[in-house]
Amino acid sequence: MGLSRLIGQVDAMVRASGQAPADFSAARWFAGWMAQPVAALGGLCPHELLDTADGREALGTLLLQMQSGVYA
């Protein structure tokens, strides 16, 4: 799963919610999220996981959990 796919996943999630502002930018939101520590990642910033395929897969899974409300 590449960076573009993760950004696309965010865009699809927000648009599927039916609450996407007209000026919503998935890339801008994703960039901000990447720089903030996330408790579900043990306090790591998501950008720290981008270097490996497993890390990117973990981020994709976390985004799905956030969407479904199963956020850990």
Side-chain angles (χ1 to χ4, degrees), residues 1-71:
M1 178 176 286
L3 187 59
S4 295
R5 187 168 174 191
L6 288 168
I7 293 170
Q9 182 178 347
V10 169
D11 188 63
M13 287 169 43
V14 173
R15 301 214 183 274
S17 76
Q19 299 177 11
D23 64 345
F24 176 74
S25 167
R28 188 173 45 238
W29 181 91
F30 190 77
W33 182 68
M34 295 298 288
Q36 300 296 318
V38 175
L41 298 174
L44 295 174
C45 293
H47 74 83
E48 296 177 71
L49 301 177
L50 285 178
D51 291 343
T52 67
D54 287 344
R56 291 186 300 274
E57 187 67 31
L59 293 177
T61 299
L62 179 57
L63 290 170
L64 286 173
Q65 290 172 334
M66 291 166 60
Q67 180 182 21
S68 68
V70 185
Y71 182 65

